[in-house]
Amino acid sequence: MTHYDAVLSCTNLTLERGDRVLVRDISLALEPGQALVLTGPNGAGKTTLLRALAGLLRPAAGEIALEPGPAGWLGHAEGLKPAETVRQALDFWAALSDQPRDAVEGVMRALALGHLARRPCGALSAGQKRRAGLARLALSGRAVWLMDEPSAPLDAAGRERLSRLAQAHRARGGIILAATHADLGWPDVQRLDLGAEAAA
Amino acid sequence: MSARGLFIREARLAFAGGGGPAGPAAFYLAALALAPLAIGPDAAILAAAGPGVIVFGALLASLQGAERMFADDASDGTLELYALSGLPLSACALIKALAYTLAAFWPAPVIAGMGALAYGLSLEAALALAAGIALAAPGLVFIAAFAGALAAGLRRAGLIIALIAAPLQAPLLVFAAGAARAAMDGTGLTGANLMLALAFSLAAMVLAPLGAGAALRARLE
């Protein structure tokens, strides 16, 4: 089993949307196996911070280090195509990241997607789509996971599977940064409250 | 390896999703069937107008898929994932446009050739026109894709796409129709027109993905 040598850090990061400063002077540093939960009210800049760390957004100031890149990304939308079946989509994403084909079945079992393999992604519920998105992330072979509201559409069993997936990733030396409103119930996580930062 | 997988996926989606080749083909056939009603029944006029009408129809058909080519990716989160895939966005745009050309726009030369015969062109002129559309097709689609990337997710994207793409596609219109007219008039310039259509297509296939990649990158930021 591969062990990641992951690094995620930023120093004095300032992010702007239009001419509004959303995030000012954020610094964080995560080592292999660590997870950070990002909280804060709507509009505090959680998603913007995730996008900047992923390299999708240029920061107004500050430095970002994410090794080995690129990041594994779980956004609001899962990137699923209505005409594709779950299995087709996961086979594609696994191949795009040069992951072995037989890894797909194990991940589908872990996320209870086995019975949905031949269902078109357009016919999935929101929670099922999110589980497919998590499977795609797990098959990406990326060391640093950036997750935006990972648990939002999931039921209790789904949250439990998410939690196990996150634990397994951390046990392999992966890093997770998750923005959330809900309590994810993950053990031993660091916390960063963007609302508190803004008020300070 | 990953580029091949992306091409296969995009070709499959272009073929199966959203009507596939039937969308542009139906539009193209309808345009070619309706134009003679406006032009009138005079066989000589119809044959003279044929190359222009048929090539212009192909141009309009190429704009059909442009609005959704990148707008869907931008709204369903695929764009972020492609941006983080390790492939440059311009390479993704090139693969997408190539997959669309081959999977969804392939009927265009066939329709052009059959349409040319129906308009009363000689077999030689019809073949020249089909070849002209076949060589111009990648250029038409790539320019439409570039405009689609610029307009992805905007309101009235269709209007913006037509305004950006149509002027850039004009040389392809000239050379493809020129090939058929040269064959009709026996000027011997059919080959030269076909070569120019091919040259312009190749240039568009190099430049349009770079522009589309930059437009998509700017959209993400």
Side-chain angles (χ1 to χ4, degrees):
Chain A
M1 184 152 280
T2 51
H3 192 87
Y4 300 118
D5 207 7
V7 176
L8 175 64
S9 70
C10 67
T11 44
N12 303 106
L13 194 65
T14 299
L15 303 172
E16 298 173 350
R17 233 10 182 171
D19 45 3
R20 204 161 61 91
V21 177
L22 271 178
V23 174
R24 192 187 296 278
D25 261 347
I26 293 271
S27 297
L28 56 88
L30 294 174
E31 288 171 5
Q34 292 187 325
L36 184 135
V37 170
L38 197 61
T39 54
N42 295 131
K46 300 189 292 294
T47 299
T48 308
L49 178 56
L50 285 179
R51 292 179 73 86
L53 291 172
L56 295 169
L57 198 80
R58 226 187 305 267
E63 297 290 324
I64 294 169
L66 189 149
E67 298 287 337
W73 179 257
L74 186 81
H76 285 289
E78 322 289 353
L80 299 171
K81 297 293 182 186
E84 244 177 3
T85 67
V86 173
R87 182 66 204 239
Q88 279 177 325
L90 292 179
D91 280 345
F92 163 71
W93 288 111
L96 194 65
S97 313
D98 290 319
Q99 298 293 305
R101 252 180 103 91
D102 44 337
V104 177
E105 268 170 37
V107 168
M108 287 182 75
R109 247 196 323 275
L111 286 157
L113 288 166
H115 63 295
L116 300 173
R118 289 159 71 179
R119 188 172 297 184
C121 292
L124 297 181
S125 77
Q128 291 168 337
K129 278 184 184 161
R130 176 50 51 105
R131 296 213 306 273
L134 285 167
R136 197 242 333 126
L137 179 63
L139 288 165
S140 67
R142 303 286 164 79
V144 180
W145 288 3
L146 303 174
M147 309 169 100
D148 200 355
E149 296 287 359
S151 72
L154 294 177
D155 57 18
R159 283 198 295 277
E160 177 57 32
R161 290 177 190 281
L162 164 65
S163 177
R164 279 207 294 270
L165 192 70
Q167 275 308 109
H169 184 60
R170 292 171 65 188
R172 279 186 289 162
I175 288 176
I176 301 180
L177 198 153
T180 186
H181 289 290
D183 181 16
L184 294 171
W186 297 353
D188 185 28
V189 293
Q190 305 176 36
R191 287 175 196 284
L192 177 66
D193 187 27
L194 281 185
E197 292 276 339
Chain B
M1 179 61 215
S2 51
R4 191 170 139 257
L6 182 59
F7 175 81
I8 293 170
R9 182 202 201 198
E10 288 296 339
R12 197 177 60 211
L13 289 173
F15 187 79
F27 178 88
Y28 196 13
L29 280 171
L32 294 192
L34 288 172
L37 300 179
I39 295 169
D42 187 319
I45 294 178
L46 211 52
V53 171
I54 290 166
V55 174
F56 185 58
L59 185 153
L60 293 180
S62 76
L63 300 177
Q64 278 284 298
E67 186 166 348
R68 285 187 53 209
M69 201 181 285
F70 294 103
D72 285 356
D73 287 351
S75 64
D76 70 15
T78 303
L79 187 55
E80 274 93 349
L81 297 176
Y82 281 178
L84 294 172
S85 69
L87 283 172
L89 276 177
S90 50
C92 294
L94 185 142
I95 290 166
K96 267 187 88 84
L98 196 62
Y100 182 87
T101 310
L102 295 174
F105 207 62
W106 59 265
V110 181
I111 295 172
M114 292 191 312
L117 292 175
Y119 274 62
L121 272 66
S122 67
L123 182 64
E124 194 196 350
L127 288 176
L129 190 55
I133 294 296
L135 295 176
L140 291 172
V141 171
F142 271 69
I143 291 168
F146 164 62
L150 276 176
L154 298 182
R155 271 191 294 169
R156 301 203 185 87
L159 177 66
I160 294 168
I161 288 168
L163 285 174
I164 295 170
L168 295 173
Q169 292 170 323
L172 292 164
L173 197 74
V174 173
F175 298 136
R181 264 203 308 276
M184 287 163 78
D185 301 342
T187 58
L189 293 175
T190 303
N193 274 292
L194 291 178
M195 294 302 274
L196 283 168
L198 175 63
F200 196 83
S201 264
L202 290 174
M205 289 172 76
V206 173
L207 295 175
L210 297 176
L216 296 172
R217 172 66 57 187
R219 207 202 123 77
L220 282 173
E221 292 192 351

